Amino acid sequence: MKEYVVVYERAGSNYSAYVPDLPGCIAAAETIEATEALMKEAIALYLDALAEEGEEIPEPQTCARTIQVA
């Protein structure tokens, strides 16, 4: 099982998300929870499409951390 970083952004009245290691793999919805659910589906479909085309599944490369600032 692979774990990919998903970046969530507030986009006006909804949320959008993307996976830096999977170009073009995106999702958007009204809540962050709904966006996360769609993102899980999008990642699965993305990886399935790569496999069907005989493409290599990219290894996760991106990491994320939060930093506290005063």
Side-chain angles (χ1 to χ4, degrees):
M1 178 178 285
K2 299 180 189 295
E3 288 188 15
Y4 292 97
V5 170
V6 177
V7 178
Y8 295 90
E9 298 177 338
R10 185 85 169 138
S13 61
N14 67 341
Y15 291 87
S16 63
Y18 66 95
V19 182
D21 294 323
L22 304 175
C25 188
I26 61 171
E30 288 186 20
T31 66
I32 200 162
E33 293 81 11
T35 305
E36 181 177 24
L38 290 175
M39 194 76 254
K40 287 179 184 179
E41 290 178 42
I43 292 169
L45 291 170
Y46 190 101
L47 297 179
D48 286 346
L50 288 178
E52 286 178 13
E53 295 293 320
E55 299 287 330
E56 187 174 329
I57 304 297
E59 290 296 321
Q61 301 293 317
T62 303
C63 68
R65 297 182 182 180
T66 59
I67 297 176
Q68 293 182 348
V69 294

Short mmCIF file of all heavy atoms in Angstrom, two decimals:
data_model
loop_
_atom_site.label_atom_id
_atom_site.label_comp_id
_atom_site.label_asym_id
_atom_site.label_seq_id
_atom_site.Cartn_x
_atom_site.Cartn_y
_atom_site.Cartn_z
N MET A 1 0.86 -1.19 0.00
CA MET A 1 0.00 0.00 0.00
C MET A 1 0.89 1.24 0.00
O MET A 1 1.86 1.32 0.73
CB MET A 1 -0.91 0.00 1.22
CG MET A 1 -1.76 1.22 1.31
SD MET A 1 -2.90 1.23 2.70
CE MET A 1 -4.10 0.07 2.13
N LYS A 2 0.55 2.19 -0.83
CA LYS A 2 1.29 3.45 -0.92
C LYS A 2 0.48 4.56 -0.25
O LYS A 2 -0.74 4.52 -0.23
CB LYS A 2 1.53 3.80 -2.38
CG LYS A 2 2.36 2.77 -3.13
CD LYS A 2 2.55 3.21 -4.56
CE LYS A 2 3.17 2.15 -5.41
NZ LYS A 2 4.51 1.77 -5.08
N GLU A 3 1.18 5.53 0.28
CA GLU A 3 0.53 6.71 0.87
C GLU A 3 1.01 7.94 0.13
O GLU A 3 2.21 8.20 0.06
CB GLU A 3 0.88 6.84 2.36
CG GLU A 3 0.22 5.80 3.22
CD GLU A 3 0.41 6.05 4.71
OE1 GLU A 3 0.82 7.18 5.09
OE2 GLU A 3 0.16 5.13 5.48
N TYR A 4 0.06 8.68 -0.42
CA TYR A 4 0.37 9.90 -1.15
C TYR A 4 -0.09 11.12 -0.35
O TYR A 4 -1.13 11.09 0.29
CB TYR A 4 -0.35 9.91 -2.51
CG TYR A 4 0.19 8.87 -3.46
CD1 TYR A 4 -0.43 7.64 -3.60
CD2 TYR A 4 1.32 9.14 -4.22
CE1 TYR A 4 0.06 6.69 -4.48
CE2 TYR A 4 1.82 8.19 -5.10
CZ TYR A 4 1.19 6.97 -5.22
OH TYR A 4 1.68 6.03 -6.09
N VAL A 5 0.69 12.18 -0.42
CA VAL A 5 0.31 13.45 0.20
C VAL A 5 -0.79 14.08 -0.64
O VAL A 5 -0.70 14.15 -1.87
CB VAL A 5 1.52 14.41 0.29
CG1 VAL A 5 1.08 15.81 0.70
CG2 VAL A 5 2.55 13.86 1.26
N VAL A 6 -1.84 14.53 0.03
CA VAL A 6 -2.93 15.25 -0.62
C VAL A 6 -2.94 16.67 -0.04
O VAL A 6 -2.95 16.84 1.18
CB VAL A 6 -4.29 14.57 -0.37
CG1 VAL A 6 -5.42 15.38 -0.99
CG2 VAL A 6 -4.28 13.14 -0.91
N VAL A 7 -2.93 17.66 -0.89
CA VAL A 7 -2.97 19.06 -0.48
C VAL A 7 -4.40 19.56 -0.64
O VAL A 7 -4.99 19.45 -1.72
CB VAL A 7 -2.01 19.93 -1.32
CG1 VAL A 7 -2.10 21.39 -0.90
CG2 VAL A 7 -0.58 19.40 -1.20
N TYR A 8 -4.96 20.09 0.44
CA TYR A 8 -6.32 20.64 0.43
C TYR A 8 -6.23 22.15 0.50
O TYR A 8 -5.46 22.71 1.28
CB TYR A 8 -7.11 20.15 1.64
CG TYR A 8 -7.35 18.66 1.62
CD1 TYR A 8 -6.45 17.78 2.22
CD2 TYR A 8 -8.47 18.12 1.01
CE1 TYR A 8 -6.65 16.42 2.20
CE2 TYR A 8 -8.69 16.75 0.98
CZ TYR A 8 -7.77 15.91 1.58
OH TYR A 8 -7.98 14.56 1.55
N GLU A 9 -7.04 22.81 -0.31
CA GLU A 9 -7.07 24.27 -0.32
C GLU A 9 -8.50 24.77 -0.28
O GLU A 9 -9.39 24.18 -0.90
CB GLU A 9 -6.40 24.81 -1.60
CG GLU A 9 -4.95 24.44 -1.72
CD GLU A 9 -4.33 24.92 -3.02
OE1 GLU A 9 -5.07 25.16 -4.00
OE2 GLU A 9 -3.10 25.05 -3.07
N ARG A 10 -8.71 25.83 0.45
CA ARG A 10 -10.01 26.50 0.45
C ARG A 10 -10.11 27.24 -0.87
O ARG A 10 -9.20 27.97 -1.27
CB ARG A 10 -10.09 27.48 1.62
CG ARG A 10 -11.42 28.13 1.77
CD ARG A 10 -12.33 27.23 2.57
NE ARG A 10 -13.53 27.97 2.93
CZ ARG A 10 -14.72 27.45 2.86
NH1 ARG A 10 -14.90 26.19 2.52
NH2 ARG A 10 -15.77 28.16 3.18
N ALA A 11 -11.21 27.05 -1.59
CA ALA A 11 -11.39 27.67 -2.90
C ALA A 11 -12.73 28.39 -2.91
O ALA A 11 -13.71 27.90 -3.46
CB ALA A 11 -11.33 26.62 -4.00
N GLY A 12 -12.78 29.56 -2.27
CA GLY A 12 -14.04 30.30 -2.19
C GLY A 12 -15.01 29.59 -1.28
O GLY A 12 -14.76 29.45 -0.09
N SER A 13 -16.10 29.07 -1.83
CA SER A 13 -17.11 28.43 -1.00
C SER A 13 -16.96 26.90 -0.95
O SER A 13 -17.84 26.22 -0.44
CB SER A 13 -18.51 28.77 -1.54
OG SER A 13 -18.64 28.28 -2.87
N ASN A 14 -15.87 26.39 -1.51
CA ASN A 14 -15.66 24.95 -1.45
C ASN A 14 -14.19 24.64 -1.18
O ASN A 14 -13.41 25.52 -0.88
CB ASN A 14 -16.14 24.27 -2.74
CG ASN A 14 -15.31 24.65 -3.95
OD1 ASN A 14 -14.60 25.64 -3.95
ND2 ASN A 14 -15.41 23.86 -4.98
N TYR A 15 -13.82 23.36 -1.31
CA TYR A 15 -12.45 22.92 -1.13
C TYR A 15 -11.99 22.20 -2.39
O TYR A 15 -12.78 21.55 -3.06
CB TYR A 15 -12.33 21.95 0.05
CG TYR A 15 -12.56 22.61 1.38
CD1 TYR A 15 -13.85 22.75 1.89
CD2 TYR A 15 -11.51 23.12 2.11
CE1 TYR A 15 -14.08 23.38 3.11
CE2 TYR A 15 -11.72 23.75 3.33
CZ TYR A 15 -13.00 23.87 3.82
OH TYR A 15 -13.22 24.49 5.02
N SER A 16 -10.72 22.33 -2.68
CA SER A 16 -10.14 21.55 -3.77
C SER A 16 -8.93 20.81 -3.21
O SER A 16 -8.40 21.16 -2.16
CB SER A 16 -9.72 22.45 -4.93
OG SER A 16 -8.71 23.35 -4.53
N ALA A 17 -8.53 19.76 -3.92
CA ALA A 17 -7.40 18.96 -3.46
C ALA A 17 -6.64 18.44 -4.67
O ALA A 17 -7.21 18.26 -5.74
CB ALA A 17 -7.90 17.81 -2.60
N TYR A 18 -5.35 18.21 -4.46
CA TYR A 18 -4.53 17.60 -5.50
C TYR A 18 -3.42 16.78 -4.87
O TYR A 18 -3.10 16.93 -3.68
CB TYR A 18 -3.96 18.66 -6.45
CG TYR A 18 -2.96 19.60 -5.81
CD1 TYR A 18 -1.59 19.35 -5.89
CD2 TYR A 18 -3.37 20.75 -5.14
CE1 TYR A 18 -0.67 20.22 -5.31
CE2 TYR A 18 -2.47 21.61 -4.56
CZ TYR A 18 -1.11 21.34 -4.65
OH TYR A 18 -0.20 22.18 -4.07
N VAL A 19 -2.86 15.89 -5.67
CA VAL A 19 -1.77 15.02 -5.22
C VAL A 19 -0.52 15.41 -6.00
O VAL A 19 -0.45 15.18 -7.21
CB VAL A 19 -2.11 13.53 -5.49
CG1 VAL A 19 -1.00 12.62 -4.99
CG2 VAL A 19 -3.44 13.16 -4.84
N PRO A 20 0.47 16.02 -5.35
CA PRO A 20 1.66 16.47 -6.07
C PRO A 20 2.37 15.37 -6.86
O PRO A 20 2.93 15.62 -7.92
CB PRO A 20 2.57 17.02 -4.96
CG PRO A 20 1.63 17.41 -3.87
CD PRO A 20 0.51 16.40 -3.93
N ASP A 21 2.34 14.15 -6.36
CA ASP A 21 3.02 13.04 -7.02
C ASP A 21 2.22 12.41 -8.15
O ASP A 21 2.73 11.52 -8.85
CB ASP A 21 3.40 11.96 -6.01
CG ASP A 21 4.44 12.45 -5.00
OD1 ASP A 21 5.34 13.22 -5.39
OD2 ASP A 21 4.35 12.06 -3.82
N LEU A 22 0.98 12.82 -8.33
CA LEU A 22 0.12 12.28 -9.38
C LEU A 22 -0.47 13.44 -10.19
O LEU A 22 -1.60 13.87 -9.95
CB LEU A 22 -1.01 11.43 -8.78
CG LEU A 22 -0.59 10.27 -7.86
CD1 LEU A 22 -1.80 9.61 -7.24
CD2 LEU A 22 0.26 9.26 -8.62
N PRO A 23 0.29 13.99 -11.12
CA PRO A 23 -0.15 15.17 -11.86
C PRO A 23 -1.53 14.99 -12.49
O PRO A 23 -1.81 13.98 -13.14
CB PRO A 23 0.92 15.33 -12.95
CG PRO A 23 2.12 14.63 -12.39
CD PRO A 23 1.58 13.49 -11.58
N GLY A 24 -2.40 15.97 -12.25
CA GLY A 24 -3.74 15.94 -12.81
C GLY A 24 -4.75 15.21 -11.95
O GLY A 24 -5.93 15.19 -12.28
N CYS A 25 -4.32 14.63 -10.84
CA CYS A 25 -5.23 13.93 -9.94
C CYS A 25 -5.79 14.96 -8.95
O CYS A 25 -5.10 15.39 -8.03
CB CYS A 25 -4.50 12.81 -9.21
SG CYS A 25 -5.60 11.74 -8.25
N ILE A 26 -7.05 15.37 -9.18
CA ILE A 26 -7.65 16.45 -8.41
C ILE A 26 -9.08 16.10 -8.01
O ILE A 26 -9.68 15.19 -8.57
CB ILE A 26 -7.65 17.78 -9.21
CG1 ILE A 26 -8.47 17.60 -10.49
CG2 ILE A 26 -6.23 18.23 -9.51
CD1 ILE A 26 -8.72 18.88 -11.25
N ALA A 27 -9.60 16.84 -7.06
CA ALA A 27 -11.00 16.70 -6.64
C ALA A 27 -11.43 18.01 -6.00
O ALA A 27 -10.61 18.79 -5.54
CB ALA A 27 -11.17 15.55 -5.65
N ALA A 28 -12.74 18.22 -5.97
CA ALA A 28 -13.30 19.41 -5.32
C ALA A 28 -14.71 19.09 -4.83
O ALA A 28 -15.43 18.32 -5.46
CB ALA A 28 -13.34 20.59 -6.28
N ALA A 29 -15.08 19.70 -3.70
CA ALA A 29 -16.42 19.51 -3.14
C ALA A 29 -16.69 20.63 -2.14
O ALA A 29 -15.82 21.44 -1.84
CB ALA A 29 -16.55 18.15 -2.47
N GLU A 30 -17.90 20.64 -1.59
CA GLU A 30 -18.31 21.71 -0.67
C GLU A 30 -17.65 21.61 0.69
O GLU A 30 -17.48 22.62 1.36
CB GLU A 30 -19.83 21.70 -0.51
CG GLU A 30 -20.55 22.21 -1.74
CD GLU A 30 -22.05 22.35 -1.52
OE1 GLU A 30 -22.49 22.42 -0.37
OE2 GLU A 30 -22.76 22.38 -2.53
N THR A 31 -17.32 20.40 1.14
CA THR A 31 -16.68 20.24 2.45
C THR A 31 -15.36 19.51 2.29
O THR A 31 -15.13 18.82 1.28
CB THR A 31 -17.57 19.42 3.42
OG1 THR A 31 -17.68 18.08 2.92
CG2 THR A 31 -18.95 20.05 3.59
N ILE A 32 -14.51 19.64 3.29
CA ILE A 32 -13.22 18.95 3.22
C ILE A 32 -13.43 17.44 3.29
O ILE A 32 -12.72 16.66 2.64
CB ILE A 32 -12.25 19.47 4.30
CG1 ILE A 32 -10.82 19.13 3.92
CG2 ILE A 32 -12.62 18.98 5.67
CD1 ILE A 32 -9.77 19.92 4.65
N GLU A 33 -14.45 17.00 4.03
CA GLU A 33 -14.73 15.56 4.14
C GLU A 33 -15.19 14.99 2.79
O GLU A 33 -14.75 13.91 2.39
CB GLU A 33 -15.80 15.31 5.21
CG GLU A 33 -15.35 15.61 6.62
CD GLU A 33 -15.44 17.10 6.99
OE1 GLU A 33 -16.03 17.89 6.24
OE2 GLU A 33 -14.89 17.47 8.05
N ALA A 34 -16.05 15.72 2.11
CA ALA A 34 -16.51 15.28 0.79
C ALA A 34 -15.37 15.31 -0.22
O ALA A 34 -15.25 14.43 -1.07
CB ALA A 34 -17.67 16.15 0.32
N THR A 35 -14.51 16.31 -0.10
CA THR A 35 -13.35 16.40 -0.99
C THR A 35 -12.42 15.21 -0.75
O THR A 35 -11.90 14.62 -1.70
CB THR A 35 -12.60 17.73 -0.77
OG1 THR A 35 -13.52 18.81 -0.95
CG2 THR A 35 -11.44 17.88 -1.75
N GLU A 36 -12.22 14.85 0.51
CA GLU A 36 -11.37 13.71 0.82
C GLU A 36 -11.94 12.42 0.23
O GLU A 36 -11.20 11.60 -0.35
CB GLU A 36 -11.20 13.56 2.33
CG GLU A 36 -10.31 12.40 2.72
CD GLU A 36 -10.10 12.29 4.21
OE1 GLU A 36 -10.93 12.78 4.99
OE2 GLU A 36 -9.07 11.70 4.59
N ALA A 37 -13.24 12.22 0.35
CA ALA A 37 -13.87 11.02 -0.21
C ALA A 37 -13.68 10.97 -1.72
O ALA A 37 -13.34 9.91 -2.28
CB ALA A 37 -15.35 10.99 0.15
N LEU A 38 -13.88 12.10 -2.39
CA LEU A 38 -13.68 12.15 -3.84
C LEU A 38 -12.22 11.94 -4.21
O LEU A 38 -11.91 11.31 -5.23
CB LEU A 38 -14.17 13.49 -4.40
CG LEU A 38 -15.68 13.70 -4.40
CD1 LEU A 38 -16.01 15.12 -4.87
CD2 LEU A 38 -16.37 12.67 -5.29
N MET A 39 -11.33 12.45 -3.38
CA MET A 39 -9.90 12.31 -3.65
C MET A 39 -9.48 10.85 -3.56
O MET A 39 -8.69 10.38 -4.39
CB MET A 39 -9.10 13.16 -2.65
CG MET A 39 -7.66 13.36 -3.01
SD MET A 39 -7.45 14.58 -4.32
CE MET A 39 -7.04 13.51 -5.68
N LYS A 40 -10.03 10.10 -2.61
CA LYS A 40 -9.73 8.67 -2.50
C LYS A 40 -10.15 7.96 -3.79
O LYS A 40 -9.40 7.12 -4.31
CB LYS A 40 -10.44 8.06 -1.30
CG LYS A 40 -9.82 8.45 0.02
CD LYS A 40 -10.58 7.82 1.18
CE LYS A 40 -10.03 8.28 2.51
NZ LYS A 40 -10.76 7.70 3.64
N GLU A 41 -11.31 8.28 -4.29
CA GLU A 41 -11.78 7.69 -5.55
C GLU A 41 -10.89 8.11 -6.72
O GLU A 41 -10.56 7.28 -7.57
CB GLU A 41 -13.22 8.12 -5.84
CG GLU A 41 -14.25 7.53 -4.91
CD GLU A 41 -15.65 8.05 -5.23
OE1 GLU A 41 -15.99 8.15 -6.44
OE2 GLU A 41 -16.39 8.34 -4.29
N ALA A 42 -10.53 9.38 -6.75
CA ALA A 42 -9.70 9.89 -7.85
C ALA A 42 -8.34 9.20 -7.88
O ALA A 42 -7.84 8.83 -8.95
CB ALA A 42 -9.53 11.40 -7.72
N ILE A 43 -7.74 9.00 -6.71
CA ILE A 43 -6.44 8.33 -6.65
C ILE A 43 -6.57 6.89 -7.14
O ILE A 43 -5.76 6.42 -7.94
CB ILE A 43 -5.85 8.37 -5.23
CG1 ILE A 43 -5.47 9.81 -4.87
CG2 ILE A 43 -4.65 7.44 -5.11
CD1 ILE A 43 -5.11 10.02 -3.40
N ALA A 44 -7.59 6.18 -6.69
CA ALA A 44 -7.80 4.80 -7.11
C ALA A 44 -7.98 4.72 -8.63
O ALA A 44 -7.37 3.87 -9.30
CB ALA A 44 -8.99 4.19 -6.39
N LEU A 45 -8.80 5.61 -9.19
CA LEU A 45 -9.02 5.62 -10.64
C LEU A 45 -7.74 5.96 -11.40
O LEU A 45 -7.44 5.38 -12.44
CB LEU A 45 -10.13 6.61 -10.99
CG LEU A 45 -11.54 6.20 -10.55
CD1 LEU A 45 -12.50 7.37 -10.75
CD2 LEU A 45 -12.01 4.97 -11.32
N TYR A 46 -7.00 6.91 -10.88
CA TYR A 46 -5.75 7.34 -11.50
C TYR A 46 -4.77 6.17 -11.56
O TYR A 46 -4.19 5.88 -12.61
CB TYR A 46 -5.15 8.49 -10.68
CG TYR A 46 -3.99 9.20 -11.31
CD1 TYR A 46 -4.16 10.43 -11.93
CD2 TYR A 46 -2.70 8.68 -11.23
CE1 TYR A 46 -3.09 11.11 -12.48
CE2 TYR A 46 -1.62 9.36 -11.79
CZ TYR A 46 -1.82 10.57 -12.40
OH TYR A 46 -0.76 11.25 -12.96
N LEU A 47 -4.60 5.47 -10.43
CA LEU A 47 -3.66 4.35 -10.38
C LEU A 47 -4.14 3.19 -11.25
O LEU A 47 -3.34 2.53 -11.92
CB LEU A 47 -3.45 3.90 -8.93
CG LEU A 47 -2.81 4.95 -8.01
CD1 LEU A 47 -2.67 4.40 -6.60
CD2 LEU A 47 -1.47 5.43 -8.55
N ASP A 48 -5.45 2.94 -11.28
CA ASP A 48 -6.00 1.90 -12.14
C ASP A 48 -5.73 2.21 -13.61
O ASP A 48 -5.37 1.33 -14.39
CB ASP A 48 -7.51 1.74 -11.92
CG ASP A 48 -7.86 1.04 -10.62
OD1 ASP A 48 -6.95 0.43 -10.00
OD2 ASP A 48 -9.04 1.10 -10.23
N ALA A 49 -5.90 3.48 -13.99
CA ALA A 49 -5.67 3.88 -15.38
C ALA A 49 -4.20 3.69 -15.75
O ALA A 49 -3.90 3.21 -16.86
CB ALA A 49 -6.10 5.33 -15.59
N LEU A 50 -3.30 4.05 -14.86
CA LEU A 50 -1.87 3.83 -15.13
C LEU A 50 -1.59 2.35 -15.33
O LEU A 50 -0.88 1.96 -16.27
CB LEU A 50 -1.02 4.38 -13.98
CG LEU A 50 -0.91 5.89 -13.84
CD1 LEU A 50 -0.07 6.25 -12.62
CD2 LEU A 50 -0.31 6.52 -15.08
N ALA A 51 -2.13 1.52 -14.46
CA ALA A 51 -1.90 0.07 -14.54
C ALA A 51 -2.45 -0.49 -15.85
O ALA A 51 -1.79 -1.31 -16.51
CB ALA A 51 -2.52 -0.63 -13.34
N GLU A 52 -3.64 -0.06 -16.24
CA GLU A 52 -4.25 -0.54 -17.48
C GLU A 52 -3.43 -0.16 -18.71
O GLU A 52 -3.40 -0.90 -19.69
CB GLU A 52 -5.67 0.01 -17.62
CG GLU A 52 -6.67 -0.64 -16.71
CD GLU A 52 -8.07 -0.04 -16.83
OE1 GLU A 52 -8.33 0.71 -17.79
OE2 GLU A 52 -8.89 -0.34 -15.95
N GLU A 53 -2.77 0.99 -18.63
CA GLU A 53 -1.94 1.45 -19.75
C GLU A 53 -0.53 0.88 -19.68
O GLU A 53 0.30 1.18 -20.54
CB GLU A 53 -1.87 2.98 -19.75
CG GLU A 53 -3.20 3.66 -20.03
CD GLU A 53 -3.69 3.40 -21.44
OE1 GLU A 53 -2.86 3.40 -22.38
OE2 GLU A 53 -4.90 3.15 -21.61
N GLY A 54 -0.25 0.09 -18.66
CA GLY A 54 1.08 -0.49 -18.51
C GLY A 54 2.12 0.50 -18.02
O GLY A 54 3.32 0.27 -18.13
N GLU A 55 1.64 1.61 -17.48
CA GLU A 55 2.54 2.65 -16.95
C GLU A 55 2.98 2.28 -15.54
O GLU A 55 2.28 1.60 -14.80
CB GLU A 55 1.84 4.00 -16.93
CG GLU A 55 1.39 4.51 -18.28
CD GLU A 55 2.54 4.98 -19.14
OE1 GLU A 55 3.56 5.44 -18.59
OE2 GLU A 55 2.43 4.84 -20.37
N GLU A 56 4.13 2.77 -15.16
CA GLU A 56 4.66 2.54 -13.82
C GLU A 56 3.88 3.38 -12.80
O GLU A 56 3.58 4.55 -13.06
CB GLU A 56 6.14 2.92 -13.78
CG GLU A 56 6.82 2.55 -12.49
CD GLU A 56 8.31 2.82 -12.53
OE1 GLU A 56 8.90 2.72 -13.62
OE2 GLU A 56 8.87 3.14 -11.47
N ILE A 57 3.55 2.78 -11.68
CA ILE A 57 2.89 3.51 -10.58
C ILE A 57 3.97 4.32 -9.86
O ILE A 57 4.95 3.75 -9.37
CB ILE A 57 2.21 2.54 -9.59
CG1 ILE A 57 1.21 1.63 -10.30
CG2 ILE A 57 1.56 3.31 -8.45
CD1 ILE A 57 0.06 2.32 -10.96
N PRO A 58 3.83 5.64 -9.81
CA PRO A 58 4.86 6.46 -9.17
C PRO A 58 4.95 6.20 -7.67
O PRO A 58 3.94 6.04 -6.99
CB PRO A 58 4.42 7.90 -9.42
CG PRO A 58 3.18 7.86 -10.21
CD PRO A 58 2.74 6.45 -10.35
N GLU A 59 6.18 6.16 -7.19
CA GLU A 59 6.40 6.07 -5.76
C GLU A 59 6.12 7.45 -5.15
O GLU A 59 6.47 8.47 -5.76
CB GLU A 59 7.83 5.66 -5.45
CG GLU A 59 8.16 4.23 -5.81
CD GLU A 59 7.35 3.24 -4.99
OE1 GLU A 59 7.14 3.47 -3.79
OE2 GLU A 59 6.92 2.23 -5.58
N PRO A 60 5.51 7.49 -3.97
CA PRO A 60 5.32 8.78 -3.31
C PRO A 60 6.67 9.44 -3.02
O PRO A 60 7.58 8.78 -2.53
CB PRO A 60 4.61 8.40 -2.00
CG PRO A 60 3.99 7.07 -2.28
CD PRO A 60 4.92 6.39 -3.23
N GLN A 61 6.79 10.71 -3.37
CA GLN A 61 8.02 11.47 -3.16
C GLN A 61 7.81 12.67 -2.24
O GLN A 61 8.75 13.14 -1.61
CB GLN A 61 8.57 11.97 -4.50
CG GLN A 61 8.88 10.87 -5.49
CD GLN A 61 10.03 9.99 -5.05
OE1 GLN A 61 11.04 10.49 -4.56
NE2 GLN A 61 9.87 8.69 -5.20
N THR A 62 6.59 13.17 -2.20
CA THR A 62 6.29 14.40 -1.48
C THR A 62 6.02 14.10 -0.02
O THR A 62 5.35 13.12 0.31
CB THR A 62 5.06 15.08 -2.10
OG1 THR A 62 5.32 15.31 -3.48
CG2 THR A 62 4.73 16.39 -1.40
N CYS A 63 6.54 14.95 0.86
CA CYS A 63 6.18 14.87 2.27
C CYS A 63 5.68 16.26 2.68
O CYS A 63 5.95 17.25 2.02
CB CYS A 63 7.34 14.41 3.14
SG CYS A 63 8.69 15.59 3.26
N ALA A 64 4.95 16.31 3.76
CA ALA A 64 4.42 17.59 4.24
C ALA A 64 4.51 17.63 5.76
O ALA A 64 4.34 16.61 6.43
CB ALA A 64 2.97 17.77 3.80
N ARG A 65 4.77 18.79 6.25
CA ARG A 65 4.81 19.04 7.69
C ARG A 65 4.28 20.44 7.95
O ARG A 65 4.37 21.31 7.09
CB ARG A 65 6.23 18.95 8.23
CG ARG A 65 6.85 17.59 8.08
CD ARG A 65 8.22 17.55 8.67
NE ARG A 65 8.78 16.23 8.46
CZ ARG A 65 9.95 15.86 8.85
NH1 ARG A 65 10.72 16.71 9.52
NH2 ARG A 65 10.39 14.65 8.62
N THR A 66 3.75 20.61 9.12
CA THR A 66 3.34 21.97 9.49
C THR A 66 4.44 22.60 10.33
O THR A 66 5.21 21.90 11.00
CB THR A 66 2.02 21.94 10.29
OG1 THR A 66 2.22 21.16 11.47
CG2 THR A 66 0.89 21.36 9.45
N ILE A 67 4.50 23.91 10.28
CA ILE A 67 5.49 24.67 11.04
C ILE A 67 4.76 25.74 11.80
O ILE A 67 3.98 26.50 11.22
CB ILE A 67 6.55 25.29 10.12
CG1 ILE A 67 7.34 24.18 9.40
CG2 ILE A 67 7.47 26.21 10.92
CD1 ILE A 67 8.33 24.70 8.40
N GLN A 68 4.99 25.82 13.10
CA GLN A 68 4.38 26.86 13.91
C GLN A 68 5.20 28.13 13.84
O GLN A 68 6.43 28.08 13.90
CB GLN A 68 4.26 26.42 15.37
CG GLN A 68 3.29 25.30 15.58
CD GLN A 68 3.16 24.94 17.05
OE1 GLN A 68 3.94 25.36 17.89
NE2 GLN A 68 2.14 24.17 17.35
N VAL A 69 4.51 29.25 13.67
CA VAL A 69 5.18 30.56 13.67
C VAL A 69 4.42 31.48 14.61
O VAL A 69 3.22 31.33 14.80
CB VAL A 69 5.26 31.18 12.26
CG1 VAL A 69 6.15 30.35 11.37
CG2 VAL A 69 3.88 31.32 11.65
N ALA A 70 5.14 32.39 15.19
CA ALA A 70 4.52 33.32 16.13
C ALA A 70 3.84 34.45 15.41
O ALA A 70 4.20 34.85 14.35
CB ALA A 70 5.56 33.88 17.10
#
